[in-house]
Amino acid sequence: MPVNILLSFLIGSALAWILIKITRTPPHLQGLVIGCCSAGNMGNLLLIIVPAVCEESNSPFGDTSVCSSYGKAYASLSMAVGAIYIWTYVYYVMSLYLNKSVSDAGTNKDSRIHIISSGESSTNIFLESSRKPLLHSSDRRSPDDSQIQAETRSTKSRFPFLDKMRQRINKFTEKIDLKMIFAPSTIAAIIGFVIGTISPFRKVMVGESAPLRVLDSSAALVGEAAIPAMTLVIGANLLSGLKRSGVGVSLIMGIIAIRYILLPLLGIVIVKAAYRFGFIGSDSLYQFILLLQYAVPPALAVGTIIQLFETSESECSVILLWTYAVAAFALTLWITFYIWLLT
């Protein structure tokens, strides 16, 4: 499942890059497009869809209670893995585009303000810059300094690949926010894995005869209330999408096509190939979850990332509004097709 979710993110990013080139997306919207096409809503919708499918009278996934418990476990794992990928990979890629667009806008604004306020002509600016020395005092180094730098470069040149790899890792880790990665949902999934996989913990907390079963029942009660609460949060985030923005119709249609046509089709190929070569078992519910991970709408965390950078917020709301509106029909069709395909 972690590999499957990562593939959906990588394929979505590649398709988003193609869409950006085709539609000539403005620079300030490129990070938003990549985020909407790559990051899917791996948790909340799956926690709603899977139990609903399992509780059908003619469910194709067997016993209702077993299907519901396993389905919630798969959805929780999907939510935890998806949150980690969103706040590492997607956040890093989006920050590259958003920081660039924000810095470019700030530079252009500052340069216009400086020229207008100073009242100097371009000739005066050129003459003033021509009087500056070609080398700063820090650039005029002694021969000893040059020799030391040459020795340092020769030492580093022995392992250029390792030096580049170390620099890239340092840049990547600087972009990562551990508080975002270890969100409450991720921590809860980790705790659930620990309790579920370690037998003494499981016997103490899970089951009708467990002495601390009240903790399990209380967590389940809070979790059931959290699902409709998250639905309200989705509606609140989409409300501002009713306002006008600068997003073109072709860009919105391209994102919808990637999320609800191209990604689900590629997901069928990937999941069936994994089953064919023995990477996954014959559990139809598990394959159903893997297929759904390619057909979900964009993650709401994309809107959170946009708000952190304070740019393109109205455009993000419009894109999320239309993608979630189409999801009501697209998810129904894909769920029906997936059930027919697996049974």
Side-chain angles (χ1 to χ4, degrees):
M1 185 178 292
V3 175
N4 188 67
I5 296 175
L6 179 60
L7 287 176
S8 69
F9 279 45
L10 294 177
I11 295 173
S13 301
L15 295 175
W17 182 80
I18 296 174
L19 177 63
I20 289 173
K21 297 301 180 182
I22 294 176
T23 59
R24 297 180 180 179
T25 306
H28 69 283
L29 295 179
Q30 293 178 2
L32 173 61
V33 173
I34 292 178
C36 290
C37 293
S38 60
N41 193 334
M42 298 293 175
N44 304 322
L45 288 180
L46 294 183
L47 285 172
I48 298 173
I49 294 170
V50 176
V53 173
C54 291
E55 292 172 2
E56 291 290 330
S57 57
N58 56 348
S59 175
F61 303 120
D63 183 68
T64 301
S65 60
V66 176
C67 173
S68 180
S69 61
Y70 274 86
K72 289 179 180 178
Y74 293 150
S76 299
L77 174 61
S78 177
M79 178 172 57
V81 176
I84 293 174
Y85 287 152
I86 287 173
W87 292 108
T88 52
Y89 169 71
V90 177
Y91 180 79
Y92 176 74
V93 174
M94 289 183 64
S95 65
L96 294 179
Y97 287 90
L98 295 176
N99 282 328
K100 182 179 179 181
S101 62
V102 171
S103 62
D104 291 344
T107 302
N108 294 335
K109 182 178 179 180
D110 293 341
S111 62
R112 288 196 300 269
I113 293 175
H114 174 72
I115 293 175
I116 293 174
S117 61
S118 62
E120 294 177 352
S121 63
S122 59
T123 305
N124 294 333
I125 295 175
F126 174 76
L127 292 175
E128 183 66 25
S129 62
S130 63
R131 298 190 187 99
K132 296 181 180 179
L134 296 177
L135 291 176
H136 296 284
S137 59
S138 60
D139 295 333
R140 294 192 288 268
R141 300 181 177 91
S142 62
D144 295 336
D145 295 338
S146 302
Q147 184 178 359
I148 294 173
Q149 289 186 358
E151 293 177 356
T152 305
R153 285 195 298 268
S154 63
T155 304
K156 291 183 177 181
S157 62
R158 296 176 185 175
F159 306 101
F161 176 76
L162 295 178
D163 293 335
K164 291 182 179 180
M165 183 65 67
R166 190 183 301 109
Q167 292 176 0
R168 291 173 182 252
I169 293 175
N170 291 334
K171 289 181 179 180
F172 181 74
T173 53
E174 289 175 358
K175 297 288 185 178
I176 295 176
D177 191 347
L178 294 179
K179 292 182 180 180
M180 297 297 184
I181 297 175
F182 292 100
S185 59
T186 307
I187 297 174
I190 294 173
I191 295 174
F193 271 114
V194 173
I195 295 174
T197 53
I198 300 177
S199 180
F201 291 166
R202 186 172 65 251
K203 292 179 180 179
V204 171
M205 299 185 63
V206 181
E208 294 296 332
S209 59
L212 297 179
R213 62 183 180 276
V214 64
L215 297 178
D216 181 41
S217 60
S218 300
L221 184 63
V222 174
E224 291 175 356
I227 294 176
M230 286 303 303
T231 307
L232 295 176
V233 173
I234 293 175
N237 288 334
L238 300 182
L239 180 63
S240 58
L242 296 174
K243 302 176 182 178
R244 296 179 60 88
S245 68
V247 183
V249 177
S250 60
L251 185 60
I252 296 177
M253 294 299 295
I255 295 174
I256 291 174
I258 290 174
R259 287 239 61 105
Y260 300 124
I261 299 177
L262 298 179
L263 274 177
L265 292 176
L266 293 173
I268 294 174
V269 175
I270 293 173
V271 174
K272 284 300 181 181
Y275 174 71
R276 180 72 176 268
F277 291 103
F279 290 105
I280 58 176
S282 59
D283 185 1
S284 58
L285 177 61
Y286 186 64
Q287 294 184 28
F288 179 70
I289 296 291
L290 295 179
L291 290 171
L292 272 181
Q293 290 170 351
Y294 290 91
V296 292
L300 294 178
V302 174
T304 305
I305 296 174
I306 291 296
Q307 291 175 359
L308 291 176
F309 288 90
E310 298 180 352
T311 177
S312 308
E313 295 183 26
S314 61
E315 291 85 351
C316 179
S317 299
V318 170
I319 293 175
L320 290 178
L321 173 67
W322 284 106
T323 51
Y324 274 81
V326 176
F329 305 96
L331 272 176
T332 304
L333 295 176
W334 282 115
I335 290 172
T336 306
F337 180 74
Y338 290 156
I339 293 176
W340 172 83
L341 184 66
L342 295 174
T343 57

